[in-house]
Amino acid sequence: MRAGATYRFDFIAMGSPCELLLFAADQDQADNAALVAVNEIHRIEKAYSRYRDDNILGEINRAARRGDQISVDTETAFLIDQAFHGFALSDGLFDVTSGRLRHIWNDDLEALPDDESIRGVLSTIGLDKVAWRHSILSFLTAGMELDFGGLAKEYAADCAAAACRSAGLNSGLVSLGGDIAVIGAHPDGSAWRIGVRNPVDGENALATIFVAQGGIATSGDYERGWEAGGRRYSHLLNPGTGWPIQGLASVTVAAETCLAAGMMSTIA
């Protein structure tokens, strides 16, 4: 075991309870790394939050609504590359243009949307309606919208872990709402033990995953959803049908990055 101690930092970001678990030589080193990591997370949240208009995503969506084109920066281009990769990998199930469905499926839902409303929204969904030529994004159909909800939080976890390593730490975890990026192995050199939440019994772990690098992400329907017509519907939406998905209650994936894990768990 190396000399030092493990320090915990709790905060809120991206609408989720978040945690840093940092092994550092002393409190000052831990505080410095935590500050850098949290600032990086908030920077990414500010850039890609769908709840803001004064960010790069807002600029993209103004172009999308016009059926126009826009040039994007290197970081945004990376996320768009990942979006197209996920779209191809999933035969269209992972689709960052499906955020338009939030206009009919949201917390204000009182009754099920009718078929005409769903068809109207589906006409503006499909990453195949977007042309991507580094670094130009062109929307071939007006009225579209991008939502990086399936990418930004996981990407932020990876960036925060990298920021901690740059600050001199080589052991710890970044957890953003349960999506985890590993800074480095446990201080004794072993893998971290990560409990996978039971979607039926939240007080107990369903399984344990051992990780020393990479990331872990979970997608599930047990925390968020809507009630309508006497039935509960998942917050995860199928961009092909316009309806909430049915199937597995929870999927957890370990991968080389939190971003990759999040994409695969969402697709699954």
Side-chain angles (χ1 to χ4, degrees):
M1 178 77 74
R2 300 190 300 273
T6 301
Y7 300 87
R8 175 174 171 169
F9 300 85
D10 296 296
F11 59 101
I12 300 293
M14 300 187 170
S16 303
C18 303
E19 176 187 349
L20 302 176
L21 200 63
L22 309 178
F23 183 82
D26 52 40
Q27 184 74 60
D28 286 344
Q29 186 187 35
D31 288 345
N32 177 65
L35 178 62
V36 172
V38 172
N39 284 344
E40 179 70 347
I41 292 163
H42 286 314
R43 180 191 68 79
I44 294 167
E45 179 177 20
K46 181 179 179 181
Y48 301 110
S49 170
R50 67 174 179 264
Y51 301 108
R52 304 177 64 116
D53 290 325
D54 60 341
N55 59 9
I56 180 58
L57 184 60
E59 292 180 28
I60 290 171
N61 283 336
R62 282 190 286 277
R65 287 190 286 272
R66 297 191 304 267
D68 206 345
Q69 66 179 33
I70 184 173
S71 177
V72 302
D73 61 90
T74 302
E75 182 173 54
T76 304
F78 169 76
L79 290 175
I80 292 171
D81 279 341
Q82 296 302 305
F84 273 92
H85 175 63
F87 183 78
L89 196 65
S90 65
D91 292 330
L93 285 177
F94 188 91
D95 192 336
V96 295
T97 70
S98 63
R100 282 275 294 150
L101 287 168
R102 301 294 178 195
H103 293 278
I104 55 175
W105 293 98
N106 53 55
D107 291 340
D108 295 327
L109 184 72
E110 295 181 354
L112 294 178
D114 56 50
D115 291 341
E116 184 178 355
S117 297
I118 291 176
R119 282 196 299 270
V121 173
L122 287 179
S123 69
T124 62
I125 290 176
L127 204 53
D128 52 353
K129 298 180 175 72
V130 181
W132 174 229
R133 306 280 189 279
H134 285 270
S135 58
I136 305 296
L137 196 61
S138 302
F139 295 90
L140 310 181
T141 299
M144 297 186 73
E145 184 178 308
L146 296 193
D147 182 345
F148 288 154
L151 296 169
K153 180 156 64 74
E154 296 84 355
Y155 172 67
D158 289 329
C159 289
C164 288
R165 288 191 289 270
S166 294
L169 304 191
N170 51 26
S171 178
L173 300 172
V174 176
S175 175
L176 305 187
D179 291 334
I180 297 170
V182 180
I183 299 167
H186 191 278
D188 65 9
S190 65
W192 294 95
R193 294 169 53 95
I194 309 295
V196 177
R197 179 176 175 179
N198 188 326
V200 178
D201 178 10
E203 299 300 316
N204 295 294
L206 181 67
T208 300
I209 296 178
F210 296 86
V211 291
Q213 60 184 0
I216 296 176
T218 298
S219 294
D221 67 358
Y222 52 90
E223 284 193 339
R224 296 167 55 197
W226 307 287
E227 297 282 347
R231 179 177 172 183
R232 185 179 184 279
Y233 290 87
S234 167
H235 75 288
L236 295 170
L237 303 169
N238 185 326
T241 66
W243 282 82
I245 60 98
Q246 296 178 334
L248 298 171
S250 179
V251 176
T252 297
V253 173
E256 65 276 10
T257 63
C258 187
L259 179 57
M263 183 182 296
M264 294 307 299
S265 65
T266 301
I267 291 169

